[in-house]
Amino acid sequence: MSTDSKLNLLNFSDPKIKTLHITWFAFFLSFVVWFSHAPLMVFIKEAFDLSTAQVKALLILNVALTIPARIAIGILVDKFGPRHVYSGLLISSSFICFGFAMADSYSMLALFRFLLGFVGAGFVIGIRMVGEWFPAKQVGIAEGIYGGWGNFGSAAGAMTLPSIALLFGGDDGWRYALALTGLLTLTYGVFYFTQARNTPKGSTYFKPKKSGGLEVTSKKDFYFYLITNVPMYLALGVLAWKLSPAGVNLFSETMMYGLWGALGLLFVIQTNQIHHVNKENFEHGVPELEKYKFKQVAILSIAYFVTFGSELAVVSMLPLFFLDTFEGLDPVKAGLLASGFAFMNLVARPTGGWFSDNFGRRRSLMFLIGGLSIGYLILGQIDGSWWIPVAVISTMMCSFFVQAGEGAVFAIVPLVKRRMTGQIAGMAGAYGNVGAVTYLTVLSFVDYSTFFLVISASALVIFCACWFLDEPKGQIAEIAADGSVHLIDVS
């Protein structure tokens, strides 16, 4: 396999290029399905006569399951391989999509929207797949293309689904549009199963020794790992609070306390499982060649907290920000002006991966997070006196650093520990959703300017944390099922 950092994306005869294309499109479809409700919400709201609170509840439910799902999918992909797991995810999510399209009550809408949050975990699967096929000098840009082009699925759905709904016409046009996305996903899930392979011919697919949690190599890292899990449970607790009478009033206060108790119990169970996975390591130690530092996972996770987390939060509020800040804008124009933030994904995320491949992993990540901090500092200064084109350019420049930073994070993830790439990607990906919940919760208490400044300040803290990230270099050791040791280049 060539170690040249350049990729010929039109060379479909190259198995790794074919794998990249069929995998980013799988992620693209998962995003189409995950956010299919957003552009059709006008039709859905009218069909069910939904209140504003009910609409907000659907939006929250759509991301609630994604946090634990990314952890669970990370475990599954490391154990069973991306080919089976991606195909299974696409096929199963298509039936959930059909269920949402055929819903005849608000409770059914809420249930199927909650379940569709699981498809948001599809991102994790492709990270492992692409990491298996591309060498270290190409993995950054390959992962960037996978993530950036796949993320564009939400924008593509927003541009096409309303027109498809109108094309079918009638009161049920939105149902046909949603069902069509489910049919496309079902078909592609079967196609992916027939065309994808977990590894290049002759390569070994390394699996964790035990499933249920990350293997760590010291007791210090074990406790660090447990602490790192806490924010994910806190974010889920906040989501439960938002759905209670204190928020959108989807369920009772008693139900909220019940969910909090369930989350506490789940944390205890997960802690026990992680200890079980690592018990043998604590008793017998880990060979020096197999060790890695958990701080790598933690730093990448908080870096994704501020990059993808802020993207999800800002995309959710930016149309309303433009509408409230500038007089004379209508909702359509405000939406179009805000869309530039998401469109940058097509080029920004691959560029971030390319930076990482060519200019150093840590240096690139710190540069991009520093730029992100400055970008949000500038957005915090925007008010009604600004010329609208300058405000739009400012948001697009900020979004470049945000999404390029995402690409730089996942340029490093496959280089930490190959056999646990799915789980590492799952934790980092989950932290992205934790970031979104955190920032949107902040927004519910402060004005727009303060919201942007809070993101900027948090990015500055994470910029300092990235200083402690170790530059991947040399080789990492992986143990095959037959006990043989394989060395994999990471620089």
Side-chain angles (χ1 to χ4, degrees):
M1 190 181 295
S2 171
T3 58
D4 187 353
S5 62
K6 295 181 180 179
L7 293 181
N8 181 1
L9 295 175
L10 299 179
N11 183 13
F12 291 91
S13 62
D14 184 341
K16 70 176 183 291
I17 298 299
K18 173 190 170 184
T19 299
L20 175 60
H21 283 304
I22 64 173
T23 303
W24 76 252
F25 194 72
F27 181 39
F28 175 94
L29 284 180
S30 73
F31 251 61
V32 170
V33 170
W34 189 17
F35 289 101
S36 59
H37 66 300
L40 299 173
M41 192 56 75
V42 173
F43 303 102
I44 297 171
K45 184 177 181 181
E46 182 179 347
F48 289 87
D49 192 26
L50 302 180
S51 66
T52 300
Q54 287 175 316
V55 170
K56 287 182 178 179
L58 289 178
L59 298 179
I60 295 171
L61 286 168
N62 193 56
V63 299
L65 192 60
T66 310
I67 294 174
R70 287 187 165 183
I71 300 297
I73 286 292
I75 294 171
L76 291 174
V77 73
D78 284 342
K79 183 173 183 178
F80 297 108
R83 172 175 170 252
H84 285 87
V85 179
Y86 228 149
S87 300
L89 182 78
L90 293 172
I91 292 169
S92 60
S93 66
S94 70
F95 291 103
I96 303 172
C97 189
F98 293 146
F100 186 77
M102 293 186 291
D104 58 7
S105 67
Y106 178 70
S107 59
M108 287 186 67
L109 283 176
L111 172 63
F112 284 114
R113 206 67 245 166
F114 172 72
L115 293 176
L116 272 172
F118 202 82
V119 77
F123 167 70
V124 173
I125 308 169
I127 292 296
R128 175 81 197 244
M129 177 67 95
V130 174
E132 291 289 333
W133 279 85
F134 287 83
K137 289 188 181 297
Q138 294 179 333
V139 75
I141 190 169
E143 297 284 15
I145 290 168
Y146 165 73
W149 293 8
N151 268 348
F152 189 69
S154 59
M159 290 187 291
T160 57
L161 290 179
S163 298
I164 294 172
L166 292 172
L167 184 64
F168 280 105
D171 294 336
D172 292 331
W174 65 273
R175 296 183 186 272
Y176 291 111
L178 284 168
L180 187 62
T181 65
L183 181 61
L184 184 59
T185 305
L186 173 63
T187 305
Y188 196 79
V190 175
F191 170 81
Y192 194 81
F193 184 81
T194 63
Q195 296 297 312
R197 292 206 317 267
N198 288 333
T199 62
K201 189 175 181 179
S203 297
T204 301
Y205 189 79
F206 299 103
K207 299 181 180 181
K209 297 173 184 176
K210 296 179 181 179
S211 296
L214 278 172
E215 298 168 28
V216 293
T217 56
S218 70
K219 284 193 174 181
K220 182 181 73 173
D221 278 357
F222 170 74
Y223 292 115
F224 194 4
Y225 180 18
L226 296 185
I227 292 170
T228 307
N229 279 329
V230 171
M232 291 185 281
Y233 286 90
L234 292 177
L236 290 170
V238 170
L239 287 174
W241 170 71
K242 283 190 170 186
L243 293 170
S244 74
V248 298
N249 201 23
L250 182 65
F251 49 64
S252 68
E253 188 173 316
T254 302
M255 181 70 171
M256 179 189 72
Y257 288 126
L259 288 172
W260 284 357
L263 287 172
L265 179 62
L266 186 60
F267 179 76
V268 172
I269 293 171
Q270 187 194 22
T271 299
N272 183 65
Q273 181 62 30
I274 292 169
H275 183 269
H276 174 72
V277 167
N278 288 283
K279 186 178 179 181
E280 187 176 333
N281 288 349
F282 297 153
E283 291 176 351
H284 305 291
V286 179
E288 195 65 33
L289 195 63
E290 292 185 54
K291 288 185 177 180
Y292 79 99
K293 295 178 181 178
F294 181 77
K295 73 171 184 179
Q296 299 287 92
V297 180
I299 293 171
L300 292 173
S301 296
I302 61 172
Y304 209 59
F305 175 103
V306 76
T307 53
F308 187 65
S310 70
E311 180 187 353
L312 278 183
V314 171
V315 166
S316 301
M317 54 73 70
L318 203 55
L320 191 59
F321 167 71
F322 276 114
L323 193 64
D324 292 344
T325 302
F326 298 102
E327 292 183 10
L329 287 183
D330 57 49
V332 174
K333 289 179 181 177
L336 287 172
L337 292 176
S339 66
F341 200 96
F343 268 87
M344 289 298 291
N345 260 309
L346 287 172
V347 294
R349 194 154 180 160
T351 301
W354 182 82
F355 278 171
S356 188
D357 288 343
N358 290 276
F359 301 108
R361 308 295 182 186
R362 186 181 68 174
R363 182 188 305 166
S364 297
L365 184 58
M366 292 182 69
F367 168 72
L368 293 168
I369 290 181
L372 176 158
S373 180
I374 295 170
Y376 281 119
L377 180 63
I378 293 171
L379 294 194
Q381 314 307 313
I382 295 176
D383 58 32
S385 66
W386 280 48
W387 190 35
I388 292 178
V390 174
V392 172
I393 291 170
S394 297
T395 60
M396 292 183 71
M397 291 299 294
C398 179
S399 73
F400 171 83
F401 285 97
V402 170
Q403 292 149 14
E406 295 163 13
V409 169
F410 276 92
I412 305 173
V413 164
L415 306 178
V416 177
K417 199 66 178 170
R418 176 65 64 86
R419 69 174 180 266
M420 297 186 296
T421 295
Q423 294 176 79
I424 295 169
M427 174 164 275
Y431 256 76
N433 286 75
V434 172
V437 172
T438 303
Y439 291 132
L440 287 173
T441 301
V442 169
L443 180 60
S444 66
F445 294 106
V446 301
D447 59 23
Y448 294 126
S449 177
T450 305
F451 166 73
F452 289 129
L453 294 177
V454 166
I455 300 177
S456 176
S458 63
L460 191 59
V461 173
I462 292 168
F463 170 87
C464 296
C466 288
W467 179 261
F468 298 96
L469 186 72
D470 292 336
E471 183 77 15
K473 58 184 178 180
Q475 297 174 316
I476 55 174
E478 296 291 0
I479 310 299
D482 62 3
S484 59
V485 179
H486 297 248
L487 297 178
I488 300 171
D489 290 327
V490 295
S491 60

